[in-house]
Amino acid sequence: MSSDEETGPAEETVFTWGAPPLKFGAGAADEIGFDLSQFGARRVLVLTDPGVAALGIPQRVAENLARYGIDAAVHDGVHVEPSDASFAAAVEHARAEGPWDAFVAVGGGSSIDTAKAVNLLLSCGGELMDYVNKPIGRAAVPPRPLKPLVAVPTTAGTGAESTAMCVLDVLSMKVKTGISHWRLRPALAVVDPLLTMTLPPEVTASAGMDIVCHALESYTSRWYADSARRAPEERVTYCGSNPVSDLWCEKAMALIARSFRRAVHSGGDDGGGGTDDGGAGDVEARTDMMMAATFAGMGFGNAGVHIPHANGYPIAGMVKDYRPSGYPQDEPMVPHGQSVSLTAPEAFRFSFSAAPERHLRAAELLAPGTASEESEPAERLPRVLTRLMRDIGIPNGIGGVGYDESDVPDLVPGTMKQQRLLSTCPRPVGEEEIERILLNSVQNW
């Protein structure tokens, strides 16, 4: 046997892909009691945020659990855009009121991510920073399986119901980061489009841009085989673009092209659907967007994201006085979907040369028949994005959420800490490139 045969190929030949079981469709949330009874759960904690709790959805889930003999309690203290402090508070509450056989997360990515962290720490012990990604935390591997978690999204955006990660602000460092391991994946994703019908248009727009960026970043991330060969214990959740993730991303982009603008502009929060067809149009558009969010989650949750998300973390973490319409006004925040989209046009100008055919294909999927109107190929995807962002009311660049050129040097280090994300960028990217992308994103149009 030759030495090459003994050591194996130098380039990567293996990719990984995974997703939780999925129950999708109108009314799916009314079957959670049956679903959790199949896990043998007798005592369940439902985690949600105050806004979703006010709609009565978590209580409805708890009542459904009770019909199957499951004792359910609702914790409605989840913080929108969670932090290490809010994760710790949720863990403390769950530990004090426990033990629990299973968890249900009802809400946006904030609720689902908080429930993942609660499940991790109650199932495996340790401290939060033990599991947070390097270099901010220690990136410890969960030593045992977690309890069953059912994820019930009420926004079409994060795709957190499909993924093996959770995201948080580390307040002391003013940086957003995450925990990533396949054991964090929910045991079941229950996706019910009817739960999104009362979302304000600003939330629909922001959450939808998160879907757009998930699909685009994973579709344009570095091809999995372009990495050095990994040992089995070195395999990471984000393995780069691959044939399976590509399929989900392409389908997500096609659904976005068909229904995103309609989901934002047709309303649905007026009690009557907001359309001339008695609301049917809203249900169809919101079903498309919920499916797009789940599909994009199945893509990026395995392939990974890159520059727009890496930039989005310090943009959100260092917010000054920006208070977005449609969100709680008690403190400044840049919603996640806004933060990741603000530098996306410039980021894709930068990454174009590494995979031109993928950027052009993405532009055509998001704007069928119109993307080629822009004669310069490298401008097609950025132009499609800025046109979409203007149409749905996304702020005009990082300047639209309170930053200017003088803030860029302070934002760059926060991006560079996201090496887990930047490592999947199709082009090498350093501080100078990130600085230029941020400067060129102060205004996008």
Side-chain angles (χ1 to χ4, degrees), residues 3-14 227-230:
S3 59
D4 285 346
E5 289 174 323
E6 290 174 358
T7 59
E11 71 281 358
E12 186 59 88
T13 60
V14 174
S227 300
R229 180 78 176 190
R230 289 187 176 97

Side-chain angles (χ1 to χ4, degrees), residues 104-118:
V104 178
V106 182
S110 299
S111 293
I112 298 173
D113 284 359
T114 299
K116 288 176 181 176
V118 168

Side-chain angles (χ1 to χ4, degrees), residues 345-419:
E346 188 64 24
F348 292 117
R349 284 190 185 96
F350 171 79
S351 59
F352 177 82
S353 63
E357 70 293 338
R358 283 182 172 254
H359 289 69
L360 294 174
R361 171 68 173 152
E364 181 60 28
L365 285 167
L366 287 173
T370 63
S372 59
E373 293 174 2
E374 170 58 56
S375 58
E376 178 60 40
E379 285 298 313
R380 290 181 189 174
L381 183 53
R383 191 64 60 87
V384 164
L385 284 174
T386 53
R387 195 175 296 151
L388 171 62
M389 292 160 72
R390 293 183 75 168
D391 286 351
I392 61 173
I394 297 296
N396 184 6
I398 64 174
V401 298
Y403 296 104
D404 58 36
E405 291 185 1
S406 68
D407 296 307
V408 168
D410 294 327
L411 292 169
V412 171
T415 298
M416 296 310 298
K417 289 177 181 176
Q418 311 303 324
Q419 289 302 312

